[in-house]
mmCIF file of all heavy atoms in Angstrom:
data_model
loop_
_atom_site.group_PDB
_atom_site.id
_atom_site.type_symbol
_atom_site.label_atom_id
_atom_site.label_comp_id
_atom_site.label_asym_id
_atom_site.label_seq_id
_atom_site.Cartn_x
_atom_site.Cartn_y
_atom_site.Cartn_z
ATOM 1 N N SER A 94 110.378 74.330 97.173
ATOM 2 C CA SER A 94 111.071 73.278 96.433
ATOM 3 C C SER A 94 112.578 73.359 96.671
ATOM 4 O O SER A 94 113.113 74.418 97.014
ATOM 5 C CB SER A 94 110.774 73.397 94.936
ATOM 6 O OG SER A 94 109.394 73.318 94.684
ATOM 7 N N THR A 95 113.264 72.264 96.469
ATOM 8 C CA THR A 95 114.709 72.259 96.603
ATOM 9 C C THR A 95 115.366 72.905 95.388
ATOM 10 O O THR A 95 114.932 72.660 94.247
ATOM 11 C CB THR A 95 115.248 70.831 96.778
ATOM 12 O OG1 THR A 95 116.690 70.864 96.695
ATOM 13 C CG2 THR A 95 114.727 69.904 95.702
ATOM 14 N N PRO A 96 116.387 73.733 95.584
ATOM 15 C CA PRO A 96 117.090 74.321 94.437
ATOM 16 C C PRO A 96 117.908 73.299 93.654
ATOM 17 O O PRO A 96 118.405 73.611 92.579
ATOM 18 C CB PRO A 96 117.991 75.385 95.080
ATOM 19 C CG PRO A 96 118.166 74.946 96.490
ATOM 20 C CD PRO A 96 116.889 74.260 96.872
ATOM 21 N N VAL A 97 118.043 72.079 94.184
ATOM 22 C CA VAL A 97 118.721 71.031 93.426
ATOM 23 C C VAL A 97 117.832 70.523 92.305
ATOM 24 O O VAL A 97 118.297 70.160 91.230
ATOM 25 C CB VAL A 97 119.128 69.872 94.364
ATOM 26 C CG1 VAL A 97 119.718 68.712 93.565
ATOM 27 C CG2 VAL A 97 120.130 70.357 95.405
ATOM 28 N N ASP A 98 116.539 70.536 92.537
ATOM 29 C CA ASP A 98 115.591 70.068 91.519
ATOM 30 C C ASP A 98 114.390 71.010 91.488
ATOM 31 O O ASP A 98 113.273 70.630 91.843
ATOM 32 C CB ASP A 98 115.138 68.639 91.841
ATOM 33 C CG ASP A 98 114.272 68.051 90.740
ATOM 34 O OD1 ASP A 98 114.395 68.502 89.579
ATOM 35 O OD2 ASP A 98 113.457 67.161 91.050
ATOM 36 N N PRO A 99 114.609 72.264 91.057
ATOM 37 C CA PRO A 99 113.507 73.233 91.063
ATOM 38 C C PRO A 99 112.506 72.911 89.960
ATOM 39 O O PRO A 99 112.815 72.192 89.003
ATOM 40 C CB PRO A 99 114.228 74.560 90.777
ATOM 41 C CG PRO A 99 115.423 74.171 89.976
ATOM 42 C CD PRO A 99 115.855 72.838 90.528
ATOM 43 N N PRO A 100 111.276 73.432 90.075
ATOM 44 C CA PRO A 100 110.298 73.234 89.001
ATOM 45 C C PRO A 100 110.856 73.698 87.657
ATOM 46 O O PRO A 100 111.546 74.711 87.576
ATOM 47 C CB PRO A 100 109.117 74.105 89.446
ATOM 48 C CG PRO A 100 109.245 74.171 90.938
ATOM 49 C CD PRO A 100 110.721 74.182 91.209
ATOM 50 N N ALA A 101 110.547 72.963 86.616
ATOM 51 C CA ALA A 101 111.126 73.243 85.303
ATOM 52 C C ALA A 101 110.567 74.513 84.684
ATOM 53 O O ALA A 101 111.227 75.146 83.860
ATOM 54 C CB ALA A 101 110.885 72.059 84.372
ATOM 55 N N ALA A 102 109.367 74.894 85.047
ATOM 56 C CA ALA A 102 108.734 76.085 84.458
ATOM 57 C C ALA A 102 108.659 77.180 85.516
ATOM 58 O O ALA A 102 109.681 77.657 85.989
ATOM 59 C CB ALA A 102 107.368 75.709 83.910
ATOM 60 N N CYS A 103 107.463 77.571 85.925
ATOM 61 C CA CYS A 103 107.319 78.575 86.969
ATOM 62 C C CYS A 103 107.868 78.028 88.278
ATOM 63 O O CYS A 103 107.521 76.913 88.687
ATOM 64 C CB CYS A 103 105.849 78.972 87.135
ATOM 65 S SG CYS A 103 105.560 80.125 88.497
ATOM 66 N N ARG A 104 108.724 78.806 88.950
ATOM 67 C CA ARG A 104 109.353 78.345 90.190
ATOM 68 C C ARG A 104 108.332 78.118 91.302
ATOM 69 O O ARG A 104 108.564 77.342 92.223
ATOM 70 C CB ARG A 104 110.391 79.369 90.657
ATOM 71 C CG ARG A 104 111.698 79.346 89.862
ATOM 72 C CD ARG A 104 112.432 78.036 90.121
ATOM 73 N NE ARG A 104 113.814 78.079 89.672
ATOM 74 C CZ ARG A 104 114.250 77.612 88.526
ATOM 75 N NH1 ARG A 104 113.379 77.084 87.678
ATOM 76 N NH2 ARG A 104 115.534 77.675 88.207
ATOM 77 N N LEU A 105 107.184 78.777 91.228
ATOM 78 C CA LEU A 105 106.180 78.649 92.283
ATOM 79 C C LEU A 105 105.171 77.538 91.983
ATOM 80 O O LEU A 105 104.236 77.325 92.746
ATOM 81 C CB LEU A 105 105.447 79.981 92.476
ATOM 82 C CG LEU A 105 104.781 80.223 93.829
ATOM 83 C CD1 LEU A 105 105.791 80.208 94.961
ATOM 84 C CD2 LEU A 105 104.002 81.540 93.828
ATOM 85 N N SER A 106 105.377 76.833 90.887
ATOM 86 C CA SER A 106 104.465 75.760 90.499
ATOM 87 C C SER A 106 104.332 74.735 91.629
ATOM 88 O O SER A 106 105.307 74.310 92.224
ATOM 89 C CB SER A 106 104.971 75.071 89.232
ATOM 90 O OG SER A 106 104.125 74.005 88.860
ATOM 91 N N GLY A 107 103.102 74.359 91.928
ATOM 92 C CA GLY A 107 102.828 73.422 93.012
ATOM 93 C C GLY A 107 102.502 74.097 94.331
ATOM 94 O O GLY A 107 101.983 73.448 95.245
ATOM 95 N N ARG A 108 102.773 75.388 94.432
ATOM 96 C CA ARG A 108 102.501 76.123 95.676
ATOM 97 C C ARG A 108 101.560 77.306 95.463
ATOM 98 O O ARG A 108 101.029 77.850 96.414
ATOM 99 C CB ARG A 108 103.809 76.649 96.280
ATOM 100 C CG ARG A 108 104.864 75.613 96.575
ATOM 101 C CD ARG A 108 105.996 76.250 97.362
ATOM 102 N NE ARG A 108 105.545 76.621 98.704
ATOM 103 C CZ ARG A 108 106.168 77.510 99.481
ATOM 104 N NH1 ARG A 108 107.227 78.150 99.023
ATOM 105 N NH2 ARG A 108 105.692 77.780 100.685
ATOM 106 N N CYS A 109 101.389 77.708 94.239
ATOM 107 C CA CYS A 109 100.697 78.961 93.925
ATOM 108 C C CYS A 109 99.181 78.845 94.109
ATOM 109 O O CYS A 109 98.574 77.868 93.656
ATOM 110 C CB CYS A 109 101.019 79.365 92.486
ATOM 111 S SG CYS A 109 100.233 80.915 91.992
ATOM 112 N N PRO A 110 98.549 79.842 94.748
ATOM 113 C CA PRO A 110 97.097 79.791 94.950
ATOM 114 C C PRO A 110 96.279 80.051 93.692
ATOM 115 O O PRO A 110 95.068 79.820 93.689
ATOM 116 C CB PRO A 110 96.851 80.891 95.990
ATOM 117 C CG PRO A 110 97.980 81.849 95.815
ATOM 118 C CD PRO A 110 99.159 81.014 95.423
ATOM 119 N N ILE A 111 96.895 80.538 92.616
ATOM 120 C CA ILE A 111 96.139 80.793 91.381
ATOM 121 C C ILE A 111 96.736 80.011 90.209
ATOM 122 O O ILE A 111 96.574 80.391 89.059
ATOM 123 C CB ILE A 111 96.110 82.292 91.044
ATOM 124 C CG1 ILE A 111 97.524 82.846 90.870
ATOM 125 C CG2 ILE A 111 95.345 83.078 92.095
ATOM 126 C CD1 ILE A 111 97.562 84.199 90.190
ATOM 127 N N GLU A 112 97.414 78.919 90.500
ATOM 128 C CA GLU A 112 98.120 78.170 89.453
ATOM 129 C C GLU A 112 97.161 77.669 88.372
ATOM 130 O O GLU A 112 96.062 77.199 88.652
ATOM 131 C CB GLU A 112 98.868 76.984 90.073
ATOM 132 C CG GLU A 112 99.704 76.216 89.067
ATOM 133 C CD GLU A 112 100.629 75.215 89.734
ATOM 134 O OE1 GLU A 112 100.703 75.213 90.974
ATOM 135 O OE2 GLU A 112 101.284 74.440 89.004
ATOM 136 N N GLN A 113 97.632 77.790 87.119
ATOM 137 C CA GLN A 113 96.918 77.295 85.955
ATOM 138 C C GLN A 113 97.735 76.148 85.333
ATOM 139 O O GLN A 113 98.930 76.020 85.593
ATOM 140 C CB GLN A 113 96.728 78.418 84.938
ATOM 141 C CG GLN A 113 96.053 79.658 85.502
ATOM 142 C CD GLN A 113 94.631 79.404 85.926
ATOM 143 O OE1 GLN A 113 93.892 78.704 85.227
ATOM 144 N NE2 GLN A 113 94.227 79.962 87.064
ATOM 145 N N PRO A 114 97.105 75.310 84.495
ATOM 146 C CA PRO A 114 97.846 74.181 83.902
ATOM 147 C C PRO A 114 99.127 74.594 83.193
ATOM 148 O O PRO A 114 100.138 73.886 83.244
ATOM 149 C CB PRO A 114 96.831 73.579 82.917
ATOM 150 C CG PRO A 114 95.499 73.907 83.529
ATOM 151 C CD PRO A 114 95.675 75.253 84.150
ATOM 152 N N VAL A 115 99.124 75.768 82.547
ATOM 153 C CA VAL A 115 100.293 76.194 81.792
ATOM 154 C C VAL A 115 101.480 76.503 82.708
ATOM 155 O O VAL A 115 102.635 76.475 82.272
ATOM 156 C CB VAL A 115 99.943 77.431 80.935
ATOM 157 C CG1 VAL A 115 99.701 78.660 81.830
ATOM 158 C CG2 VAL A 115 101.023 77.723 79.919
ATOM 159 N N CYS A 116 101.221 76.779 83.968
ATOM 160 C CA CYS A 116 102.294 77.190 84.886
ATOM 161 C C CYS A 116 103.318 76.089 85.118
ATOM 162 O O CYS A 116 104.479 76.372 85.457
ATOM 163 C CB CYS A 116 101.713 77.634 86.219
ATOM 164 S SG CYS A 116 100.594 79.052 86.107
ATOM 165 N N SER A 117 102.938 74.852 84.981
ATOM 166 C CA SER A 117 103.863 73.746 85.210
ATOM 167 C C SER A 117 104.595 73.310 83.957
ATOM 168 O O SER A 117 105.442 72.415 84.006
ATOM 169 C CB SER A 117 103.109 72.545 85.794
ATOM 170 O OG SER A 117 102.113 72.100 84.885
ATOM 171 N N THR A 118 104.273 73.948 82.813
ATOM 172 C CA THR A 118 104.890 73.529 81.552
ATOM 173 C C THR A 118 105.640 74.644 80.841
ATOM 174 O O THR A 118 106.474 74.373 79.987
ATOM 175 C CB THR A 118 103.820 72.981 80.594
ATOM 176 O OG1 THR A 118 102.857 74.007 80.318
ATOM 177 C CG2 THR A 118 103.119 71.775 81.206
ATOM 178 N N ARG A 119 105.343 75.916 81.187
ATOM 179 C CA ARG A 119 105.937 77.033 80.455
ATOM 180 C C ARG A 119 106.719 77.941 81.382
ATOM 181 O O ARG A 119 106.276 78.249 82.492
ATOM 182 C CB ARG A 119 104.838 77.844 79.751
ATOM 183 C CG ARG A 119 105.368 78.793 78.689
ATOM 184 C CD ARG A 119 104.223 79.536 78.045
ATOM 185 N NE ARG A 119 103.733 80.614 78.913
ATOM 186 C CZ ARG A 119 102.620 81.310 78.689
ATOM 187 N NH1 ARG A 119 101.875 81.010 77.642
ATOM 188 N NH2 ARG A 119 102.253 82.275 79.503
ATOM 189 N N ASP A 120 107.895 78.368 80.929
ATOM 190 C CA ASP A 120 108.693 79.314 81.700
ATOM 191 C C ASP A 120 107.949 80.646 81.803
ATOM 192 O O ASP A 120 107.215 81.040 80.889
ATOM 193 C CB ASP A 120 110.047 79.513 81.022
ATOM 194 C CG ASP A 120 111.031 80.223 81.918
ATOM 195 O OD1 ASP A 120 110.779 80.320 83.131
ATOM 196 O OD2 ASP A 120 112.065 80.693 81.401
ATOM 197 N N MET A 121 108.156 81.335 82.934
ATOM 198 C CA MET A 121 107.454 82.588 83.165
ATOM 199 C C MET A 121 108.470 83.731 83.281
ATOM 200 O O MET A 121 108.957 84.030 84.373
ATOM 201 C CB MET A 121 106.615 82.503 84.448
ATOM 202 C CG MET A 121 105.575 81.404 84.434
ATOM 203 S SD MET A 121 104.323 81.689 83.157
ATOM 204 C CE MET A 121 103.360 80.173 83.291
ATOM 205 N N PRO A 122 108.824 84.376 82.169
ATOM 206 C CA PRO A 122 109.783 85.488 82.227
ATOM 207 C C PRO A 122 109.135 86.734 82.807
ATOM 208 O O PRO A 122 107.905 86.869 82.841
ATOM 209 C CB PRO A 122 110.160 85.698 80.758
ATOM 210 C CG PRO A 122 108.940 85.250 80.002
ATOM 211 C CD PRO A 122 108.378 84.103 80.791
ATOM 212 N N LEU A 123 109.961 87.663 83.243
ATOM 213 C CA LEU A 123 109.457 88.947 83.725
ATOM 214 C C LEU A 123 108.834 89.721 82.575
ATOM 215 O O LEU A 123 109.405 89.802 81.490
ATOM 216 C CB LEU A 123 110.592 89.762 84.345
ATOM 217 C CG LEU A 123 111.103 89.313 85.716
ATOM 218 C CD1 LEU A 123 112.407 90.017 86.044
ATOM 219 C CD2 LEU A 123 110.065 89.588 86.799
#
């Protein structure tokens, strides 16, 4: 993704092989 408009939640959202629905809506802290 472009760093000008990165995913709002998990940065890997849309590319991740194990992505779950929550990954596109919730931030993922360490």
Side-chain angles (χ1 to χ4, degrees):
S94 302
T95 171
V97 175
D98 186 25
C103 176
R104 284 293 194 262
L105 203 61
S106 178
R108 303 189 68 199
C109 181
I111 59 165
E112 184 169 353
Q113 305 295 319
V115 69
C116 299
S117 61
T118 60
R119 195 179 77 190
D120 193 14
M121 301 296 175
L123 286 167

